[in-house]
Amino acid sequence: MKTIPSKEFLSCEKTNEQRQPAKLNNNKLSNSMATSSRFSSVIQLTDLDDFITPSQECIKPAKTQNARQVTSSGSAKIQIGDDGSYSQLNKEGRPEKLQKAQITLNDCLACSGCITSAESVLIGQQNHMEFLKLCKDIELSSPSRSFDKIVVGLSCQPILSFANKFQIPPEEARAKLSTLFRQLGAAKVFDVESFSDLCLLECGQDFVHRYREQSTNSTSIPVLASACPGWICYAEKTHGNWILPHLSEVKSPQQIAGVLIKDVLPNELQTSASRLAVVMIMPCFDKKLEASRSDFFRDDQQSKDVDFVITPVEIEQILEELAIEFVDLSPSQIDSLGGTTDTSWSVPSGSGSGGYAEHVLRFAAKELYGMTLGHVKFQPLKNSDIREAFVEKDGEHVLSVAIVNGFRNIQNLVQKMKRKKRTYDYVEIMACPSGCLNGGAQLRTELMETKTLTANMEALHAKLEHRQVDDVRVNKLNHVWLGKASPEEHLNKLRTSYHAVQKSTNALTVKW
C-alpha cells in the first residue's frame, strides 16, 4: 500500500498546441489523459501537480470533509490499496474509503478549472460505453432503460475520417456507418448536413441585421461564429462580458438538428421526446460539452436536445469491442424527413468546418449590395489557419470575412479586437488547428504525420459535392418543423445565449 499527500491534483491548463497524453505510471490516469487529448487544445488536462494554479481555479470545487478525517499528527494522508481503491486515515488512525470525484460535462463548461481526484477525472456521461449500454437496454426492453428509440446524426468530418483510415470513398464510409448504427438499434440515421442550411441561413440573416445596426451598436461588428464549443468555452471563461456581445447567437447544426428531431419524430416513432435518444457523431469531444450545456435542456420536454455525442475514436472502440470489421459492413441508405431515404449527399460550400464564412459573405453581398458572388477565394496570411476574403465595390472593401483556426490564432485575433483594431466583419472560428477536419477525436495513424493527414482530409472534402444554401430545402424543413410558429418561437428554436463565468475569489487567485 502506498501513501500519498492528500492535495495531489490533476490541473487544467489552456495550451497553445495540441499535446499527446502524458506518459504516467498510473494506467487509469493515462487513460484519462488520453481522453482529454481528444478535446481541442483550449480544454486540456495536463500533468499531475500539487496545486491548482491561480489562473485555473475551480468555481465548483469538490466538497471536502471536515477535520474529523485529519490524523492526530495534523496532516491528512491518503492510502492506495492494492486494488487501486483510496482510503484516508481518520483521527483515530482507521482508514475510511474515499469516493472518486466525478465531473459532469456540464461542469466542464461551468468552471475555469477542474474537479479532480488523485487518480483521475471521471467523465460520468457521454461515453461510448454508456451508449452501448443504452443500445443493449433498448434491445432487451429493460424496464430500467432511459430511452425507447435512438436517432443518429452523422456529420461530414467523421465520415471523411473513416474514409481516409480505410481508404474507401466517402460515400461508402457514410453508408457503412449508417449500417453500423442501424445494427446497434438506431431507428433513423440522418446527415447533420441536411439540417445545416437552417443554421447557415440564420447566420446570414443575423449578420446582416448586425451589420445594419453597427452605427448605433459598437459591439455588433465583428460577428464571431459560435459553432465551436471549445472556442465558446474559452470566450466565456477568459473574456466574459467583453467578448460575448460579438458572438453569433445561432445554434450549431448539431443543436438545431437535435431540436428539430425531438420536435418532429416522436409521433412517427411512437414515443415521447424525453424517451427519444438523439446521438450525434462529431469530430471532437468539445461537442460533448456543447450538448451538455444547461441552455440546451428543454423544460417543456424534460430532455436535452442532444443526449449523446460519439466520436470516431469511440466508434473505433465500439468496432473493436464488438469484433466488427468496418470494411465488412454492408451499405445502407441515409434517412430524410418524411420517411424517405436520402440518395444524394452534398455538403455546404466553403471550409471543412461548415462553410460559415463563405455563406455569410455570399448572403451579405446579395442582401446589402445586390451582388451575386461567383467563386470565393480565401487568401492565407502568415499561416494557412488564417484566411481572409473580401467583397469590393468601387475599388473599396465593403465586406470582409476570415477563417481563424487554432488557439494561438484565436488569441491574436482577440488581442487585436481588444486594441480596438478593426479586424473583419465576420470570423469563422474553430479551436482545432485546420478546423473540424482535424478534430481532436478523428482517427489517426502513427505512420501518418498530422500535416499529411490534414491534407488528405481536405482533399477528400474537396471531392464532395458542394452546395450553396438551398431555399427549397430550408422552406421544406421549416414547413415540416416550425409550421405556423411565431417569429419569437422561430428564434427560440434557432438561437441561444452565452454567459460569462464568474470566478471565485480565494487565496489562490491573488496575483503576487
Side-chain angles (χ1 to χ4, degrees), residues 359-420:
H359 170 72
V360 166
L361 191 67
R362 290 182 181 278
F363 185 88
K366 182 71 173 177
E367 291 291 313
L368 298 171
Y369 298 101
M371 302 170 64
T372 300
L373 302 183
H375 174 68
V376 175
K377 185 175 182 180
F378 281 80
Q379 294 286 354
L381 298 184
K382 291 182 179 180
N383 61 72
S384 59
D385 271 336
I386 306 179
R387 290 172 285 162
E388 59 185 19
F390 303 92
V391 170
E392 289 189 2
K393 186 176 182 181
D394 299 329
E396 294 184 359
H397 290 164
V398 292
L399 287 172
S400 60
V401 300
I403 298 172
V404 176
N405 297 324
F407 188 47
R408 181 177 299 167
N409 294 325
I410 292 173
Q411 287 178 311
N412 291 336
L413 173 72
V414 171
Q415 291 304 316
K416 288 182 180 179
M417 291 177 60
K418 280 189 171 182
R419 295 196 300 267
K420 307 296 184 181

Side-chain angles (χ1 to χ4, degrees), residues 51-100:
F51 66 96
I52 297 178
T53 59
S55 62
Q56 299 148 7
E57 75 282 0
C58 180
I59 68 164
K60 287 189 175 181
K63 292 181 179 179
T64 56
Q65 300 299 319
N66 56 29
R68 68 182 179 85
Q69 290 185 316
V70 178
T71 63
S72 57
S73 63
S75 62
K77 292 185 178 181
I78 294 176
Q79 293 181 333
I80 304 178
D82 295 333
D83 60 352
S85 63
Y86 288 81
S87 59
Q88 181 170 328
L89 298 179
N90 60 22
K91 61 182 180 180
E92 286 83 22
R94 292 194 300 270
E96 292 184 357
K97 192 170 183 179
L98 297 177
Q99 292 184 342
K100 296 177 182 177

Side-chain angles (χ1 to χ4, degrees), residues 42-280:
V42 179
I43 309 165
Q44 291 282 321
L45 298 176
T46 57
D47 300 336
L48 281 173
D49 204 343
D50 60 354
F51 66 96
I52 297 178
T53 59
S55 62
Q56 299 148 7
E57 75 282 0
C58 180
I59 68 164
K60 287 189 175 181
K63 292 181 179 179
T64 56
Q65 300 299 319
N66 56 29
R68 68 182 179 85
Q69 290 185 316
V70 178
T71 63
S72 57
S73 63
S75 62
K77 292 185 178 181
I78 294 176
Q79 293 181 333
I80 304 178
D82 295 333
D83 60 352
S85 63
Y86 288 81
S87 59
Q88 181 170 328
L89 298 179
N90 60 22
K91 61 182 180 180
E92 286 83 22
R94 292 194 300 270
E96 292 184 357
K97 192 170 183 179
L98 297 177
Q99 292 184 342
K100 296 177 182 177
Q102 274 208 339
I103 178 169
T104 68
L105 290 170
N106 191 54
D107 290 327
C108 277
L109 276 187
C111 75
S112 59
C114 191
I115 299 174
T116 61
S117 74
E119 180 181 36
S120 63
V121 177
L122 302 179
I123 296 176
Q125 57 187 174
Q126 294 265 16
N127 58 56
H128 78 282
M129 293 178 289
E130 289 296 320
F131 171 66
L132 287 178
K133 181 179 181 299
L134 162 67
C135 294
K136 196 68 174 178
D137 286 346
I138 292 177
E139 179 188 1
L140 299 176
S141 299
S142 171
S144 62
R145 69 187 185 276
S146 302
F147 301 95
D148 297 323
K149 301 286 185 179
I150 300 172
V151 173
V152 172
L154 296 174
S155 63
C156 166
Q157 298 85 5
I159 294 173
L160 296 180
S161 188
F162 274 89
N164 179 68
K165 175 70 178 288
F166 293 98
Q167 295 296 293
I168 58 177
E171 293 78 8
E172 184 178 345
R174 172 178 179 257
K176 289 181 180 296
L177 284 169
S178 174
T179 298
L180 172 64
F181 286 103
R182 292 183 194 279
Q183 289 182 0
L184 291 173
K188 298 279 186 180
V189 180
F190 293 100
D191 268 330
V192 175
E193 274 69 32
S194 63
F195 306 101
S196 62
D197 283 358
L198 287 167
C199 173
L200 291 173
L201 183 60
E202 195 70 15
C203 286
Q205 293 172 343
D206 176 51
F207 172 78
V208 167
H209 173 74
R210 294 193 189 203
Y211 189 88
R212 285 172 171 160
E213 69 171 13
Q214 62 180 310
S215 60
T216 58
N217 185 352
S218 61
T219 62
S220 62
I221 298 294
V223 178
L224 307 178
S226 59
C228 173
W231 148 241
I232 294 300
C233 182
Y234 167 71
E236 288 182 319
K237 292 178 182 179
T238 308
H239 299 290
N241 291 324
W242 169 79
I243 204 166
L244 295 188
H246 291 281
L247 297 181
S248 170
E249 294 182 343
V250 180
K251 294 178 182 178
S252 71
Q254 169 181 294
Q255 296 305 130
I256 290 177
V259 176
L260 191 154
I261 288 169
K262 291 213 172 183
D263 281 350
V264 173
L265 287 184
N267 287 338
E268 179 183 338
L269 298 178
Q270 298 181 337
T271 187
S272 64
S274 63
R275 304 287 293 180
L276 176 60
V278 174
V279 181
M280 292 294 168

Side-chain angles (χ1 to χ4, degrees), residues 27-41:
N27 290 332
K28 293 183 180 180
L29 180 55
S30 297
N31 291 337
S32 174
M33 299 297 295
T35 297
S36 74
S37 71
R38 308 304 181 185
F39 289 90
S40 68
S41 57

